[in-house]
Amino acid sequence: MRTALDTNVVCALWSGKPSAREIESALFKARGEGGLVMSAPVYCELLAYPSATRHFVQQFCRETGIFLDFLLDEQV
């Protein structure tokens, strides 16, 4: 089962919040149990993070093994 990321989780990592180590550990575990996925809305919100560029966000996803899922065909 893939774990979907929320914007505030990634921002906490990038900001070095006190919870960042716990988040990193949980995401590492989730990645091993089925992978991580990021939706289009989360991707777009991350582009608004201070000093984040499209290249930075894409590189982060590649390096951390986050699958970008931009298909929004299914009803939720």
Side-chain angles (χ1 to χ4, degrees):
M1 175 174 74
R2 285 188 178 159
T3 299
L5 298 177
D6 189 49
T7 308
N8 61 357
V9 171
V10 178
C11 289
L13 287 174
W14 291 351
S15 298
K17 299 276 185 185
S19 59
R21 284 190 177 183
E22 291 176 48
I23 292 170
E24 183 178 10
S25 177
L27 293 178
F28 184 79
K29 181 179 177 188
R31 186 176 68 182
E33 293 176 347
L36 302 171
V37 63
M38 181 182 295
S39 68
V42 171
Y43 178 86
C44 291
E45 289 172 351
L46 290 175
L47 292 176
Y49 185 85
S51 75
T53 63
R54 182 176 168 203
H55 175 75
F56 175 79
V57 176
Q58 289 177 340
Q59 183 176 357
F60 172 78
C61 290
R62 270 193 308 274
E63 290 176 358
T64 55
I66 297 170
F67 176 74
L68 298 174
D69 186 2
F70 290 177
L71 297 177
L72 301 174
D73 296 341
E74 296 181 28
Q75 291 186 2
V76 179

